Each structure stands twice: as C-alpha cells, then as structure tokens.
Amino acid sequence: MLGILASLLAPKVNAETLHLTSLHWPPYSSSQLAEQGAVIAITRAAVNAMGHKLEVDFYPWSRAVRLVNRKGAKYDGYLPAYPYPTEKFVFSDVLGTSPLGLVERRIHPVSWLKASDLNQYTLGVVRDYVNTSELDAMIKLGTQKVEVVNSDEHNLTKVATARVDAAVMDVNVLQFLLLQNKLKPLSSKVQVNKHILENKDLTIAFANNSQGLFWRDIVNAGLAKIDSDAMLSAYIKNSESK
C-alpha cells in the first residue's frame, strides 16, 4: 500500500531524448560494441536513472564534434571528450578516466622525463584529438614534431613499422586494438612507455546553450545515482577477457 501511495505522489517525468554524437573508439564507444561501448553504457545508465532516453549517432571524430554546433543541429553534445578551455562547450562530470600514454617499439623505447624531452622524437597524433596541454602547446609552436593521422589503428601500425618514434594513445584503446585479429601480430613489436602522459577525464561535451546546460545537469544528476567507476572497470575487464 505504501509503495502504491509513493508512486502516486512521485513527480511525473516527461521522458525526453538526449541526442549525442560519438566515434569508433573502442572500448569506450562504437556502434559495433556491446551497449555501444563503456562510456555510452555509463551515459545511458545516468540518463535512464533520470527518466530520460539516450540516442547516439557515430561519425568520424572531426565531424562528430562539428555537428554539435551546426545551426539547427539535433545533437546536444559529443562524447567521449577530454575537458579543455573553450567557450563552445560545457562539460559533464567525469564518466571515467583515460590513461593517456605513448605506444612505442619494444626495441626502441622513448626516453623522457619532462614533456620537452619528447621534442627529439616524431610522435603520431590523431587529427583533432586533444592531447595534453603541454604537448598540444608544443605542437602549436612547432617545437614538437608530429605526424597527423585519422585513427589510432593507423598510428599503431606506423609505430610498429618505425614510421614514427611513438604515438599518443589511450592505454585501454591500445590494449583493445591489440586483441583484434589483424593487429594481434603487432603485440610483440609494441608496448606502452613506462611514463603515462596524463590520466585524462572522460566527459560529455555539451553545446554551450540552454539545451546543452539542461542536459549537462540531467546527466550530472544521473551520474550521482550510479557507480560509473565500477561500470567502466567491469566493461574493460570483460572486453579484455573475450
């Protein structure tokens, strides 16, 4: 009886749909993954906890970002996003943590202690990805030599074939890629550098407008109701065991 009374007194929620863009970036996001990837599963759980729904469309990264601020766009934000200084977007609370490192050849590890030590090397980076603030500043100044590609897979093969000295890559992404049949042979050739560049926060970047602010607050409230760290850890562990 008390349960029935409580349900009658509970505020009615008009379910709305959050529309986001994303990219193929396993294990965090992909149309080909269970639940569309770890961070999308977390986001969906947070949105559902608030009585709403989530729909995600997948595009190449540059387009995924660009579509959010296009005039008349149906998209309210994109994910996963590393927070950075910008007036175009506002960022959600943290969905999970991305260990950003350097993938290198086993027979030729990169030696560095501070970011400027990397200037002696040519690094592979993915077009329009945010790296670390120090690294991006050096790239902008031209003091850091880089080769720009369109995917982490391409960077991985370039490292393995010695076309770059190392590549900036999320450690979980690297481990997932090396489980794929066509890339497994590279496991004996590459490794993660012993120094992690930075542990980056994974968030949702919402358009900096009233609708984006509305959804940011909804997601943040939903995240407070779930254990996103446990969800991310379990998802990655499960994906690595398959």
Side-chain angles (χ1 to χ4, degrees), residues 118-143:
L118 295 171
N119 294 168
Q120 63 187 299
Y121 303 107
T122 298
L123 303 181
V125 296
V126 177
R127 190 179 312 280
D128 294 333
Y129 277 18
V130 174
N131 301 293
T132 70
S133 56
E134 279 185 296
L135 192 55
D136 285 337
M138 293 190 300
I139 293 171
K140 188 174 181 179
L141 286 171
T143 55

mmCIF file of all heavy atoms in Angstrom, residues 118-143:
data_model
loop_
_atom_site.group_PDB
_atom_site.id
_atom_site.type_symbol
_atom_site.label_atom_id
_atom_site.label_comp_id
_atom_site.label_asym_id
_atom_site.label_seq_id
_atom_site.Cartn_x
_atom_site.Cartn_y
_atom_site.Cartn_z
ATOM 1 N N LEU A 118 60.437 15.150 -25.267
ATOM 2 C CA LEU A 118 59.837 14.460 -26.416
ATOM 3 C C LEU A 118 60.102 15.169 -27.740
ATOM 4 O O LEU A 118 59.860 14.601 -28.802
ATOM 5 C CB LEU A 118 58.321 14.332 -26.204
ATOM 6 C CG LEU A 118 57.899 13.456 -25.020
ATOM 7 C CD1 LEU A 118 56.403 13.582 -24.772
ATOM 8 C CD2 LEU A 118 58.267 11.990 -25.278
ATOM 9 N N ASN A 119 60.638 16.393 -27.664
ATOM 10 C CA ASN A 119 60.880 17.156 -28.889
ATOM 11 C C ASN A 119 61.898 16.499 -29.816
ATOM 12 O O ASN A 119 61.949 16.788 -31.017
ATOM 13 C CB ASN A 119 61.342 18.584 -28.561
ATOM 14 C CG ASN A 119 60.282 19.433 -27.882
ATOM 15 O OD1 ASN A 119 60.574 20.511 -27.378
ATOM 16 N ND2 ASN A 119 59.041 18.954 -27.848
ATOM 17 N N GLN A 120 62.716 15.610 -29.255
ATOM 18 C CA GLN A 120 63.718 14.929 -30.092
ATOM 19 C C GLN A 120 63.093 13.815 -30.930
ATOM 20 O O GLN A 120 63.751 13.255 -31.808
ATOM 21 C CB GLN A 120 64.819 14.347 -29.201
ATOM 22 C CG GLN A 120 64.319 13.271 -28.244
ATOM 23 C CD GLN A 120 65.366 12.808 -27.259
ATOM 24 O OE1 GLN A 120 66.412 12.287 -27.650
ATOM 25 N NE2 GLN A 120 65.103 13.008 -25.972
ATOM 26 N N TYR A 121 61.829 13.495 -30.655
ATOM 27 C CA TYR A 121 61.150 12.401 -31.353
ATOM 28 C C TYR A 121 60.035 12.925 -32.257
ATOM 29 O O TYR A 121 59.519 14.023 -32.054
ATOM 30 C CB TYR A 121 60.540 11.419 -30.343
ATOM 31 C CG TYR A 121 61.524 10.825 -29.379
ATOM 32 C CD1 TYR A 121 61.549 11.229 -28.040
ATOM 33 C CD2 TYR A 121 62.424 9.845 -29.790
ATOM 34 C CE1 TYR A 121 62.441 10.670 -27.138
ATOM 35 C CE2 TYR A 121 63.326 9.283 -28.885
ATOM 36 C CZ TYR A 121 63.332 9.695 -27.569
ATOM 37 O OH TYR A 121 64.224 9.143 -26.678
ATOM 38 N N THR A 122 59.663 12.115 -33.226
ATOM 39 C CA THR A 122 58.474 12.381 -34.033
ATOM 40 C C THR A 122 57.340 11.516 -33.496
ATOM 41 O O THR A 122 57.468 10.291 -33.437
ATOM 42 C CB THR A 122 58.715 12.061 -35.514
ATOM 43 O OG1 THR A 122 59.765 12.903 -36.011
ATOM 44 C CG2 THR A 122 57.447 12.308 -36.333
ATOM 45 N N LEU A 123 56.259 12.169 -33.102
ATOM 46 C CA LEU A 123 55.136 11.468 -32.498
ATOM 47 C C LEU A 123 53.949 11.405 -33.454
ATOM 48 O O LEU A 123 53.688 12.354 -34.196
ATOM 49 C CB LEU A 123 54.692 12.176 -31.210
ATOM 50 C CG LEU A 123 55.745 12.375 -30.118
ATOM 51 C CD1 LEU A 123 55.128 13.076 -28.919
ATOM 52 C CD2 LEU A 123 56.366 11.039 -29.706
ATOM 53 N N GLY A 124 53.229 10.334 -33.393
ATOM 54 C CA GLY A 124 51.981 10.218 -34.132
ATOM 55 C C GLY A 124 50.828 10.716 -33.277
ATOM 56 O O GLY A 124 50.729 10.374 -32.096
ATOM 57 N N VAL A 125 49.975 11.545 -33.845
ATOM 58 C CA VAL A 125 48.781 12.025 -33.156
ATOM 59 C C VAL A 125 47.596 11.890 -34.103
ATOM 60 O O VAL A 125 47.752 11.882 -35.325
ATOM 61 C CB VAL A 125 48.918 13.495 -32.690
ATOM 62 C CG1 VAL A 125 50.015 13.641 -31.652
ATOM 63 C CG2 VAL A 125 49.182 14.422 -33.868
ATOM 64 N N VAL A 126 46.402 11.782 -33.533
ATOM 65 C CA VAL A 126 45.193 11.666 -34.344
ATOM 66 C C VAL A 126 44.607 13.053 -34.562
ATOM 67 O O VAL A 126 44.543 13.871 -33.646
ATOM 68 C CB VAL A 126 44.153 10.746 -33.671
ATOM 69 C CG1 VAL A 126 42.867 10.695 -34.497
ATOM 70 C CG2 VAL A 126 44.735 9.339 -33.513
ATOM 71 N N ARG A 127 44.189 13.292 -35.797
ATOM 72 C CA ARG A 127 43.641 14.585 -36.185
ATOM 73 C C ARG A 127 42.503 15.030 -35.252
ATOM 74 O O ARG A 127 41.561 14.279 -35.000
ATOM 75 C CB ARG A 127 43.100 14.504 -37.620
ATOM 76 C CG ARG A 127 42.714 15.841 -38.243
ATOM 77 C CD ARG A 127 42.209 15.648 -39.660
ATOM 78 N NE ARG A 127 43.099 14.803 -40.441
ATOM 79 C CZ ARG A 127 44.235 15.209 -41.026
ATOM 80 N NH1 ARG A 127 44.608 16.477 -40.896
ATOM 81 N NH2 ARG A 127 44.976 14.370 -41.734
ATOM 82 N N ASP A 128 42.632 16.249 -34.722
ATOM 83 C CA ASP A 128 41.615 16.905 -33.895
ATOM 84 C C ASP A 128 41.421 16.278 -32.514
ATOM 85 O O ASP A 128 40.528 16.681 -31.781
ATOM 86 C CB ASP A 128 40.260 16.983 -34.613
ATOM 87 C CG ASP A 128 40.302 17.890 -35.830
ATOM 88 O OD1 ASP A 128 41.128 18.814 -35.847
ATOM 89 O OD2 ASP A 128 39.515 17.664 -36.769
ATOM 90 N N TYR A 129 42.259 15.297 -32.148
ATOM 91 C CA TYR A 129 42.203 14.796 -30.774
ATOM 92 C C TYR A 129 42.879 15.823 -29.853
ATOM 93 O O TYR A 129 43.888 16.438 -30.220
ATOM 94 C CB TYR A 129 42.954 13.478 -30.625
ATOM 95 C CG TYR A 129 42.195 12.231 -31.006
ATOM 96 C CD1 TYR A 129 41.056 12.283 -31.806
ATOM 97 C CD2 TYR A 129 42.632 10.984 -30.579
ATOM 98 C CE1 TYR A 129 40.387 11.117 -32.153
ATOM 99 C CE2 TYR A 129 41.961 9.817 -30.925
ATOM 100 C CZ TYR A 129 40.845 9.895 -31.717
ATOM 101 O OH TYR A 129 40.199 8.740 -32.063
ATOM 102 N N VAL A 130 42.357 15.975 -28.649
ATOM 103 C CA VAL A 130 43.038 16.742 -27.607
ATOM 104 C C VAL A 130 44.054 15.819 -26.951
ATOM 105 O O VAL A 130 43.728 14.687 -26.587
ATOM 106 C CB VAL A 130 42.031 17.264 -26.564
ATOM 107 C CG1 VAL A 130 42.755 17.942 -25.408
ATOM 108 C CG2 VAL A 130 41.039 18.231 -27.213
ATOM 109 N N ASN A 131 45.289 16.291 -26.817
ATOM 110 C CA ASN A 131 46.332 15.506 -26.151
ATOM 111 C C ASN A 131 46.514 16.089 -24.743
ATOM 112 O O ASN A 131 45.544 16.320 -24.055
ATOM 113 C CB ASN A 131 47.601 15.546 -26.990
ATOM 114 C CG ASN A 131 47.361 14.998 -28.399
ATOM 115 O OD1 ASN A 131 47.093 13.811 -28.582
ATOM 116 N ND2 ASN A 131 47.442 15.855 -29.414
ATOM 117 N N THR A 132 47.726 16.314 -24.298
ATOM 118 C CA THR A 132 47.911 17.047 -23.042
ATOM 119 C C THR A 132 48.122 18.519 -23.382
ATOM 120 O O THR A 132 48.515 18.862 -24.501
ATOM 121 C CB THR A 132 49.129 16.527 -22.255
ATOM 122 O OG1 THR A 132 50.331 16.893 -22.952
ATOM 123 C CG2 THR A 132 49.083 15.012 -22.094
ATOM 124 N N SER A 133 47.880 19.385 -22.415
ATOM 125 C CA SER A 133 48.023 20.825 -22.686
ATOM 126 C C SER A 133 49.453 21.169 -23.071
ATOM 127 O O SER A 133 49.683 21.965 -23.997
ATOM 128 C CB SER A 133 47.584 21.641 -21.460
ATOM 129 O OG SER A 133 48.316 21.266 -20.306
ATOM 130 N N GLU A 134 50.432 20.551 -22.394
ATOM 131 C CA GLU A 134 51.841 20.816 -22.718
ATOM 132 C C GLU A 134 52.183 20.347 -24.119
ATOM 133 O O GLU A 134 52.825 21.055 -24.898
ATOM 134 C CB GLU A 134 52.760 20.112 -21.711
ATOM 135 C CG GLU A 134 52.941 20.833 -20.399
ATOM 136 C CD GLU A 134 53.957 20.126 -19.528
ATOM 137 O OE1 GLU A 134 53.704 18.983 -19.122
ATOM 138 O OE2 GLU A 134 55.019 20.717 -19.278
ATOM 139 N N LEU A 135 51.756 19.149 -24.447
ATOM 140 C CA LEU A 135 52.065 18.583 -25.747
ATOM 141 C C LEU A 135 51.389 19.376 -26.860
ATOM 142 O O LEU A 135 52.020 19.700 -27.880
ATOM 143 C CB LEU A 135 51.626 17.123 -25.784
ATOM 144 C CG LEU A 135 52.122 16.271 -26.961
ATOM 145 C CD1 LEU A 135 53.641 16.317 -27.051
ATOM 146 C CD2 LEU A 135 51.636 14.833 -26.795
ATOM 147 N N ASP A 136 50.133 19.732 -26.666
ATOM 148 C CA ASP A 136 49.422 20.496 -27.689
ATOM 149 C C ASP A 136 50.033 21.879 -27.881
ATOM 150 O O ASP A 136 50.070 22.404 -29.003
ATOM 151 C CB ASP A 136 47.938 20.613 -27.326
ATOM 152 C CG ASP A 136 47.180 19.316 -27.575
ATOM 153 O OD1 ASP A 136 47.648 18.504 -28.391
ATOM 154 O OD2 ASP A 136 46.126 19.111 -26.939
ATOM 155 N N ALA A 137 50.520 22.471 -26.794
ATOM 156 C CA ALA A 137 51.174 23.783 -26.907
ATOM 157 C C ALA A 137 52.456 23.666 -27.723
ATOM 158 O O ALA A 137 52.747 24.529 -28.576
ATOM 159 C CB ALA A 137 51.480 24.342 -25.523
ATOM 160 N N MET A 138 53.228 22.611 -27.505
ATOM 161 C CA MET A 138 54.470 22.417 -28.260
ATOM 162 C C MET A 138 54.185 22.105 -29.723
ATOM 163 O O MET A 138 54.919 22.534 -30.617
ATOM 164 C CB MET A 138 55.303 21.301 -27.623
ATOM 165 C CG MET A 138 55.850 21.650 -26.253
ATOM 166 S SD MET A 138 57.066 20.452 -25.622
ATOM 167 C CE MET A 138 56.097 18.939 -25.563
ATOM 168 N N ILE A 139 53.118 21.374 -29.977
ATOM 169 C CA ILE A 139 52.737 21.086 -31.366
ATOM 170 C C ILE A 139 52.351 22.381 -32.070
ATOM 171 O O ILE A 139 52.750 22.627 -33.216
ATOM 172 C CB ILE A 139 51.573 20.069 -31.401
ATOM 173 C CG1 ILE A 139 52.040 18.701 -30.894
ATOM 174 C CG2 ILE A 139 51.006 19.948 -32.821
ATOM 175 C CD1 ILE A 139 50.911 17.702 -30.687
ATOM 176 N N LYS A 140 51.592 23.226 -31.379
ATOM 177 C CA LYS A 140 51.155 24.504 -31.960
ATOM 178 C C LYS A 140 52.339 25.414 -32.247
ATOM 179 O O LYS A 140 52.379 26.109 -33.272
ATOM 180 C CB LYS A 140 50.174 25.191 -31.009
ATOM 181 C CG LYS A 140 49.516 26.429 -31.590
ATOM 182 C CD LYS A 140 48.455 26.970 -30.646
ATOM 183 C CE LYS A 140 47.768 28.203 -31.258
ATOM 184 N NZ LYS A 140 46.712 28.728 -30.352
ATOM 185 N N LEU A 141 53.331 25.388 -31.356
ATOM 186 C CA LEU A 141 54.532 26.215 -31.538
ATOM 187 C C LEU A 141 55.466 25.655 -32.608
ATOM 188 O O LEU A 141 56.334 26.363 -33.118
ATOM 189 C CB LEU A 141 55.299 26.335 -30.222
ATOM 190 C CG LEU A 141 54.699 27.252 -29.153
ATOM 191 C CD1 LEU A 141 55.451 27.088 -27.844
ATOM 192 C CD2 LEU A 141 54.730 28.700 -29.620
ATOM 193 N N GLY A 142 55.311 24.373 -32.906
ATOM 194 C CA GLY A 142 56.185 23.740 -33.888
ATOM 195 C C GLY A 142 57.430 23.130 -33.296
ATOM 196 O O GLY A 142 58.299 22.641 -34.031
ATOM 197 N N THR A 143 57.543 23.140 -31.966
ATOM 198 C CA THR A 143 58.733 22.556 -31.328
ATOM 199 C C THR A 143 58.618 21.038 -31.213
ATOM 200 O O THR A 143 59.633 20.355 -31.048
ATOM 201 C CB THR A 143 58.961 23.151 -29.929
ATOM 202 O OG1 THR A 143 57.780 22.989 -29.146
ATOM 203 C CG2 THR A 143 59.294 24.633 -30.030
#
